[in-house]
Amino acid sequence: MTSSRPSDSSTRTLTGPALRRRTLLGLAAAGTAAAGIAPSFLRPDAAHAAGGPTDDSGHADFSLTWEENFDGSRLDPTTWEYELGNIRGNEQQHYSSSTDNVRIEGGRLILAVTDRPAADQYRNTERLGSAARLVKYNSGSVRTHAGRDFLYGRLEIRARLPKGKGAFPAIWTLGHDFPIDGRIDPSQGYGWPSTGEIDIAEMIGAPTAERAAQGETASAGTSNSTVYGTPHFWYSEGDADGDGTYAPYALGGKTTTTEDLHEDFHVFGVNRTPDKLAWLLDGVVYKTLHFVSEDPADQARRDAARAGLARPAYLQINLATGGNWAGDAGDHLAEDGARFEVDWVRFSQTKEQAAQDAAYRSSMPALSGVEDVAIRQGDHADLVAGVTTDTKDHAVEVSVNDSPLFVNTGAPGGRNEVHLRVASADDADAVAALPEGTYAMYLTAVPRGEALSGGRVPTALTRRRKATLTVLPAEGIEGDSRGTVATVDLPDGYSFRDPSLRFSRNDEYVVDFVNPEDPIPARKRPVHPFVLQESAITLRACSPAHGDPHPRKGKKKGRGRHHR
């Protein structure tokens, strides 16, 4: 999907801090059934459809490296995050975090179109001027940004696409350091198209037979049975956006099925090696982009394609409606139940691809000490204190946005968006100005003295990881050192995952945040878990005889941080 767009890799060995965090979340998940966010590695496999299509792209010895089967009741927040608001392409949906639009149902990820309340409908004139279409639907978009990225191997998604006029489902990847359309400071990663984009599968929906019979007309070139696979990358001789995919001839492809893609599940995939990129439908390759061209005149463009596309990328899955390509969305998508169903995601590698993947990643800078952080409102905190990289040629930068505080309805003018609140490790004043609440914090190892923003070939290596920043009340929070965490009077919207944990036996605790300011019903709001350390709590020891409080600070441990 054309943008205006770590955990470490899927081959990461779970040792050290990463294993410690997963262990803590796993142990704390003893009572997570209600919260529904148990990490996927704790879940038993469900009876999903077998993957087994034959890949005719030249490899037969793939080994499964990672999979997502959507077996919990909510998305695993260690892997997935929401894209929120109205982002790109003059589209007519507002991406929501409500379970009306993003949910797990029967072991499948569901992205559903719903009518946006009339009071919340708007035109994004700030970005698109008088040409802005009416944003009349809510829908869903999720991504593995800063949770899991992929490089060399076969990435496959088994899904059933929606249908209907202007339904615009997309399965795609973007470079792992993309600054998510300004929700991370643009200096901290390559922008679009430099970051590289691989559209694994896009479809532009046409009216259903029923709606066509009622007079709904199709936009030009739309079909419920044609899927497109397209690369996007920066090239010095590219189009007005710097995109090199279209001229002198298109590098992408398409294929058409005999029935609507909504009628059954299909497996959409790409297979990447250092030399080529192949698109597959149900295990059959329908387009291959070779990075070495048979036409010497096109080799410079192929070199640019390799630079942009042969780098780690995160996966994004979304259901748009209407837009520059899709045209005007029909009026009946919500009424007709347009939805995008994803059964599973799988990443497989040959031994050669695994070795090539590991070799690339070994040259990337490492990030250590990335932790959840809790501060008091007004603190001029150094958010990168204790976070290091293993090379003197890189520095650690930070961006903070307010995505956990997103509200799904009721914003003035109807348009609510995610905002970048802190754009630099040097901006302690912006940190101190943050209101109470929970925020998404992205740490990136960036090359010193090298610009990343603007159109350019992406030659620099970066690394990004995500943590949670929580801003507590200025007066702090207190608890009874002789009791359990239930004695802590947390602000509205926060709850300890296991309120029976005692301070005498633990020093860090899983907390769930559900935004109390979001007007939609609480059961439909997303849960944002993080780890709160005892050092963020003022503990008071009470005298058994008199109940006199005697303050005792929590054990000193990393300024309320938690290792990831």
Side-chain angles (χ1 to χ4, degrees):
M1 170 167 280
T2 303
S3 164
S4 75
R5 338 330 62 331
S7 135
D8 297 337
S9 77
S10 56
T11 59
R12 179 177 62 179
T13 302
L14 295 178
T15 58
L19 177 59
R20 182 163 169 259
R21 176 174 186 271
R22 286 179 174 266
T23 302
L24 283 165
L25 285 177
L27 292 175
T32 58
I37 54 174
S40 58
F41 66 91
L42 294 177
R43 307 176 189 137
D45 287 339
H48 290 265
T54 301
D55 179 0
D56 67 356
S57 59
H59 297 287
D61 56 345
F62 286 94
S63 296
L64 183 65
T65 302
W66 176 83
E67 64 181 334
E68 170 65 89
N69 286 317
F70 303 111
D71 291 331
S73 58
R74 289 183 181 267
L75 284 172
D76 178 357
T78 66
T79 299
W80 300 92
E81 66 178 20
Y82 298 89
E83 181 180 47
L84 299 166
N86 182 254
I87 311 298
R88 60 189 160 267
N90 204 357
E91 295 166 356
Q92 293 180 264
Q93 81 291 330
H94 192 94
Y95 288 130
S96 159
S97 58
S98 169
T99 55
D100 286 342
N101 306 107
V102 181
R103 62 183 177 273
I104 305 299
E105 183 180 287
R108 291 170 180 162
L109 168 66
I110 306 297
L111 305 180
V113 174
T114 58
D115 287 317
R116 189 161 174 80
D120 288 339
Q121 294 182 14
Y122 63 93
R123 297 179 188 271
N124 195 342
T125 55
E126 179 182 341
R127 185 165 58 85
L128 299 161
S130 61
R133 288 182 168 87
L134 179 66
V135 177
K136 58 185 179 181
Y137 290 122
N138 285 336
S139 191
S141 179
V142 296
R143 59 196 176 199
T144 67
H145 170 254
R148 181 162 301 271
D149 57 50
F150 309 90
L151 183 52
Y152 300 127
R154 188 179 66 192
L155 179 60
E156 295 177 299
I157 301 89
R158 185 175 188 267
R160 175 157 55 195
L161 303 189
K163 60 181 177 179
K165 182 178 179 179
F168 187 9
I171 304 169
W172 48 311
T173 70
L174 285 163
H176 68 109
D177 56 1
F178 179 65
I180 53 176
D181 297 287
R183 278 67 176 177
I184 291 174
D185 189 79
S187 68
Q188 296 171 23
Y190 285 107
W192 192 89
S194 299
T195 195
E197 172 183 332
I198 301 170
D199 295 328
I200 300 173
E202 293 181 293
M203 187 203 78
I204 306 300
T208 63
E210 296 80 4
R211 293 300 178 186
Q214 295 168 8
E216 189 173 64
T217 58
S219 299
T222 61
S223 169
N224 293 316
S225 59
T226 297
V227 62
Y228 296 84
T230 312
H232 299 278
F233 55 92
W234 186 85
Y235 176 47
S236 60
E237 303 298 322
D239 63 14
D241 294 321
D243 188 357
T245 196
Y246 297 115
Y249 51 86
L251 295 177
K254 65 180 180 179
T255 187
T256 299
T257 57
T258 57
E259 61 180 15
D260 285 354
L261 291 161
H262 177 76
E263 297 304 315
D264 201 353
F265 281 83
H266 295 272
V267 178
F268 306 92
V270 289
N271 184 30
R272 272 197 291 179
T273 75
D275 299 319
K276 65 182 180 180
L277 170 62
W279 284 263
L280 305 92
L281 177 62
D282 294 327
V284 177
V285 172
Y286 67 88
K287 178 65 179 181
T288 301
L289 167 61
H290 294 274
F291 296 138
V292 176
S293 176
E294 295 179 353
D295 177 8
D298 199 41
Q299 189 55 50
R301 185 166 69 133
R302 301 301 179 96
D303 290 340
R306 188 201 303 265
L309 304 174
R311 55 197 307 267
Y314 64 84
L315 174 65
Q316 182 148 340
I317 305 173
N318 64 266
L319 175 50
T321 62
N324 292 335
W325 185 10
D328 292 332
D331 294 329
H332 308 290
L333 291 174
E335 179 185 353
D336 292 345
R339 65 187 217 164
F340 190 174
E341 300 179 55
V342 182
D343 188 28
W344 48 252
V345 180
R346 293 176 182 169
F347 186 63
S348 305
Q349 294 175 308
T350 65
K351 290 182 179 179
E352 183 179 18
Q353 285 173 320
Q356 293 164 336
D357 193 293
Y360 183 101
R361 293 177 186 278
S362 69
S363 63
M364 296 170 66
L367 272 176
S368 302
V370 177
E371 308 165 344
D372 291 344
V373 177
I375 63 174
R376 295 186 181 190
Q377 205 284 321
D379 283 355
H380 286 74
D382 179 1
L383 299 181
V384 301
V387 182
T388 61
T389 183
D390 61 346
T391 165
K392 61 180 176 54
D393 298 324
H394 287 75
V396 178
E397 265 298 354
V398 66
S399 284
V400 175
N401 70 42
D402 57 7
S403 53
L405 298 173
F406 184 81
V407 295
N408 283 288
T409 187
R415 183 182 170 205
N416 44 314
E417 299 286 351
V418 173
H419 305 95
L420 178 63
R421 295 299 193 104
V422 178
S424 169
D426 298 326
D427 198 351
D429 288 342
V431 177
L434 289 171
E436 294 177 27
T438 289
Y439 299 84
M441 181 169 65
Y442 300 92
L443 291 301
T444 307
V446 297
R448 298 181 186 274
E450 185 167 345
L452 303 182
S453 58
R456 62 187 69 246
V457 174
T459 56
L461 297 173
T462 63
R463 174 89 68 173
R464 177 172 295 156
R465 296 180 68 187
K466 181 181 179 180
T468 298
L469 170 65
T470 298
V471 180
L472 299 171
E475 64 274 18
I477 54 176
E478 299 181 352
D480 180 355
S481 65
R482 303 186 184 197
T484 68
V485 293
T487 65
V488 179
D489 187 15
L490 290 173
D492 190 22
Y494 295 86
S495 61
F496 285 102
R497 180 74 59 79
D498 184 354
S500 69
L501 294 177
R502 303 190 68 84
F503 290 117
S504 60
R505 299 178 181 178
N506 304 275
D507 59 11
E508 46 195 358
Y509 314 93
V510 178
V511 175
D512 290 324
F513 173 68
V514 178
N515 183 14
E517 302 301 321
D518 191 347
I520 66 173
R523 69 182 185 280
K524 296 184 178 183
R525 303 174 202 161
V527 178
H528 301 278
F530 63 93
V531 173
L532 182 70
Q533 290 203 6
E534 186 180 297
S535 56
I537 305 169
T538 299
L539 297 180
R540 296 187 176 276
C542 294
S543 165
H546 305 289
D548 296 328
H550 301 286
R552 176 175 72 85
K553 288 287 186 182
K555 291 186 275 293
K556 197 71 173 175
K557 189 173 181 180
R559 296 191 313 102
R561 290 178 172 268
H562 174 68
H563 285 285
R564 292 197 178 204

